[in-house]
Amino acid sequence: MSDAETAAAPPPWRLLLGYVRPHRRALLAGALLSLVTGATGLLLPLVARGLIDDLAADRPITGALLALSALVVANAAVGALGSYVLRRTAESVVLGARRALSSYLLRLRITAVDRSEPGDLMARVTSDTTLLREVTTDSLVGLGTGGLTLVATVVLMGVVDPVLLGVTLAVILGAGTVLGVIVPRINRASRRAQDAVGVMGASLERVLGALRTVKASGAEAREERALHAAAEESWRQSVRAAKWSAAAGNTAGLAMQTAFITVLAVGGARVATGAIDIATLVAFLLYVFYLMSPIQQVVGAITQYQTGSAALGRIQEALRLPAEPAAAGAEPLPSSGDGPAALAFHDVRFRYADDLPYVHHGVTFEVPARGMTAFVGPSGAGKTTVFSLVERFYDPQSGAITLDGRALTDWELPRLRSAIGYVEQDAPVLSGTLRDNLLLGNPAAGEDAVRRVLKTTRLDDLVARLPQGLDTRVGHRGTKLSGGERQRVAIARALLRGPRLLLLDEATSQLDAVNEAALRDTVADVARTTTVLVVAHRLSTVTSADRIVVMDAGRVRAVGTHRELVAADPLYAELAATQFLASAG
């Protein structure tokens, strides 16, 4: 994050209040219960002083003992209830933060995802949000209730004996100076520890996402060292934060012990001179003991806030990544009455980042409604990028893309994407059941529609072989399916949406000849009622297209039918002769 972004970022306490605001009533109730707990505790030394006075004056002590017992029981009961309310509220704050952050991450622009490590983003949802639990109870509430209890205790100590109060405050102020040096170091170490957790998550996601490749390359030891290095860095920084936190806590404890010894010495001298009586000294010493709890609470709140502010900063960084607008709800899919879509590119120039070369250099073509259009060309020509721009995963730097004569930027994203079925080049399959994957794009699809598309994509035989049929789990990224089966699942998923525009990016590259021919016929049938765009490397797919767009080095060099292009375009003729898997026949 740049210095300008850091300066513009709101302070961590304001971010924390934003997460706490929806739960302010519950938090206030818990804080009030904590204050009541503190108040009952503050009464104990006064009752104890009365008890000592009664003993010295030979008066009955039954009432004082009963009052003392009632205060102890009330203190324990109210304290337990307050602790539960605060912890429940803290868990609700964590839940709200996780829901907000996970929803935002799902709406991230693809450009932001390209620049981020998925494992690090996962750590922000899991590890960083967990720290909000302690910040809410220990820091926000602890600082408030502990501070008020501390003030009330100091006031009562002043009522009991101002001289001894002055001695106590002098010791505490000395400890406060030391804490002012320690606290910033806790913040820095905590931030570095959380960053290291993110790096470890990114490294682990990278390895698990390609574990077969890692094993086949014999790279386990190298990847293991990278994971261990990230884990050790997090350990080092966490230990450093723990060291400074321990120093802060021990400084507070040492201050209270010093204060007790000093008060005992000065108070004993005052009792000896008759300035105060023994009951007053006992009451003041009890307050010194009692002062230890709110001071440790305040110190703990400050140190915990330093840890939490690092996590809040990382969460806020994720929430500042570019994201798409939030959708009001699921956009309805096209109905049977909606016609196929027409698409056009007008002098489109595009590159994936400002420091990368252009992928498209003024791409222009038109695709009429209905029929199949094939995109061919050498690797790197920009064919797949066409589909990414149509889905608005990216926006071009210049030029215009229109759907039905309307600029893509004028379409609401959910409505635009509801009209499109997209089969990616690697045909990803998600962890879950086969049914989950088929219904991903149309969860309301009926059984008849599912059976129909299974037959169309020749998946019905696979379903019949699976132990639980459609409810069989397909494994992480569909590892229990073959490459060809994953492609057919992806095609079936797209067909179930009933799209007005179907994008197929080398969707049959891993199919055998029989299944490839069957799906080619299916696509041809779909093209009679839908606009189909295909990136193809097989001549058998291209020859059946209504039109072919030949791309080279980010430009459209020719458009026509197979027969026209073989005669008119040398590059297409060469591709047809050498790169396609089938011959012209």
Side-chain angles (χ1 to χ4, degrees):
M1 188 167 53
S2 67
D3 294 339
E5 289 175 318
T6 302
W13 63 265
R14 186 173 295 173
L15 301 176
L16 178 60
L17 290 179
Y19 288 114
V20 168
R21 191 171 292 114
H23 313 283
R24 56 186 179 275
R25 292 182 179 177
L27 198 64
L28 180 60
L32 289 175
L33 288 170
S34 295
L35 287 175
V36 171
T37 304
T40 56
L42 288 175
L43 292 175
L44 287 173
L46 296 178
V47 175
R49 183 170 70 170
L51 179 63
I52 294 172
D53 288 338
D54 289 341
L55 286 171
D58 200 23
R59 292 193 296 266
I61 60 172
T62 304
L65 283 175
L66 288 175
L68 199 64
S69 301
L71 282 174
V72 170
V73 173
N75 185 270
V78 176
L81 179 60
S83 177
Y84 167 74
V85 171
L86 288 176
R87 290 188 178 279
R88 190 179 189 278
T89 305
E91 293 294 346
S92 299
V93 170
V94 172
L95 172 63
R98 284 177 174 167
R99 290 174 63 177
L101 184 54
S102 58
S103 296
Y104 191 85
L105 293 182
L106 286 175
R107 293 189 287 107
L108 284 182
R109 299 280 302 183
I110 297 298
T111 51
V113 177
D114 290 343
R115 296 194 301 265
S116 305
E117 292 285 355
D120 181 53
L121 295 177
M122 290 166 55
R124 296 176 196 239
V125 176
T126 54
S127 175
D128 290 337
T129 55
T130 300
L131 293 176
L132 294 182
R133 179 190 303 123
E134 283 73 26
V135 179
T136 303
T137 53
D138 296 351
S139 184
L140 190 63
V141 176
L143 190 61
T145 59
L148 288 173
T149 304
L150 180 61
V151 170
T153 306
V154 169
V155 169
L156 290 174
M157 291 171 78
V159 171
V160 172
D161 190 77
V163 175
L164 293 180
L165 173 61
V167 172
T168 306
L169 290 179
V171 176
I172 293 174
L173 288 176
T177 303
V178 177
L179 290 175
V181 177
I182 293 174
V183 164
R185 289 171 167 78
I186 299 174
N187 182 292
R188 287 194 294 270
S190 298
R191 177 58 191 256
R192 290 168 183 165
Q194 288 303 109
D195 286 343
V197 170
V199 171
M200 185 173 65
S203 300
L204 190 59
E205 191 274 339
R206 169 178 171 270
V207 172
L208 294 180
L211 190 57
R212 296 185 183 190
T213 302
V214 171
K215 289 180 176 294
S217 303
E220 294 99 326
R222 292 194 301 276
E223 297 298 334
E224 182 182 47
R225 285 195 294 272
L227 285 170
H228 287 185
E232 288 165 5
E233 176 62 18
S234 179
W235 174 83
R236 278 193 296 271
Q237 297 300 335
S238 296
V239 167
R240 185 170 298 169
K243 176 183 69 177
W244 291 116
S245 295
N250 286 334
T251 298
L254 179 61
M256 294 315 302
Q257 292 174 12
T258 304
F260 176 79
I261 294 171
T262 305
V263 166
L264 185 60
V266 175
R270 287 174 62 76
V271 169
T273 60
I276 58 173
D277 56 26
I278 189 67
T280 299
L281 177 59
V282 170
F284 197 93
L285 287 173
L286 287 175
Y287 275 125
V288 172
F289 272 119
Y290 192 77
L291 193 64
M292 190 176 298
S293 177
I295 285 181
Q296 288 181 335
Q297 197 173 10
V298 170
V299 171
I302 294 172
T303 55
Q304 188 63 54
Y305 175 75
Q306 301 308 310
T307 302
S309 64
L312 283 164
R314 282 171 49 81
I315 292 171
Q316 193 63 18
E317 282 179 8
L319 292 175
R320 281 197 297 270
L321 293 172
E324 297 169 351
E331 185 71 23
L333 295 174
S335 64
S336 56
D338 294 330
L343 178 73
F345 274 51
H346 305 281
D347 195 26
V348 170
R349 287 173 56 83
F350 171 75
R351 57 182 174 182
Y352 284 99
D354 293 340
D355 57 346
L356 294 177
Y358 277 92
V359 179
H360 283 176
H361 303 271
V363 170
T364 299
F365 64 84
E366 292 187 8
V367 176
R370 194 175 286 105
M372 181 168 70
T373 300
F375 290 80
V376 301
S379 177
K383 305 183 295 295
T384 296
T385 302
V386 168
F387 289 3
S388 294
L389 292 174
V390 172
E391 283 275 11
R392 282 203 67 195
F393 296 149
Y394 307 93
D395 290 322
Q397 275 72 33
S398 63
I401 306 172
T402 61
L403 189 74
D404 293 338
R406 181 182 174 193
L408 289 191
T409 51
D410 294 337
W411 287 75
E412 292 182 359
L413 273 176
R415 187 176 181 190
L416 171 69
R417 290 173 181 163
S418 71
I420 301 173
Y422 181 30
V423 180
E424 299 173 62
Q425 192 170 14
D426 55 354
V429 173
L430 280 66
S431 177
T433 66
L434 182 57
R435 186 190 303 276
D436 293 336
N437 276 276
L438 292 172
L439 300 181
L440 185 66
N442 183 10
E447 289 296 322
D448 290 342
V450 172
R451 279 196 295 270
R452 191 161 52 249
V453 81
L454 287 175
K455 185 175 181 181
T456 297
T457 54
R458 294 202 168 192
L459 283 170
D460 46 353
D461 288 342
L462 169 66
V463 173
R465 294 196 309 270
L466 293 174
Q468 281 86 42
L470 284 174
D471 297 316
T472 302
R473 302 191 70 83
V474 297
H476 178 60
R477 298 186 179 181
T479 52
K480 295 182 180 179
L481 303 177
S482 69
E485 289 167 346
R486 287 196 294 272
Q487 283 194 322
R488 280 182 280 161
V489 168
I491 295 171
R493 183 169 59 210
L495 293 177
L496 268 177
R497 289 170 62 82
R500 300 178 58 224
L501 175 65
L502 181 62
L503 310 178
L504 304 174
D505 191 355
E506 299 186 48
T508 60
S509 61
Q510 298 190 53
L511 300 183
D512 57 61
V514 174
N515 282 316
E516 194 269 339
L519 278 176
R520 188 174 64 245
D521 294 340
T522 296
V523 171
D525 288 339
V526 171
R528 295 190 180 98
T529 57
T530 302
T531 306
V532 179
L533 273 58
V534 180
V535 172
H537 283 168
R538 289 187 179 181
L539 188 62
S540 55
T541 301
V542 173
T543 53
S544 60
D546 298 292
R547 71 199 58 79
I548 301 166
V549 178
V550 183
M551 298 189 67
D552 183 27
R555 291 182 172 86
V556 174
R557 57 176 289 146
V559 179
T561 64
H562 171 66
R563 187 180 300 275
E564 293 168 347
L565 292 173
V566 166
D569 187 69
L571 174 62
Y572 181 81
E574 180 183 355
L575 291 171
T578 62
Q579 292 193 13
F580 294 149
L581 299 182
S583 63

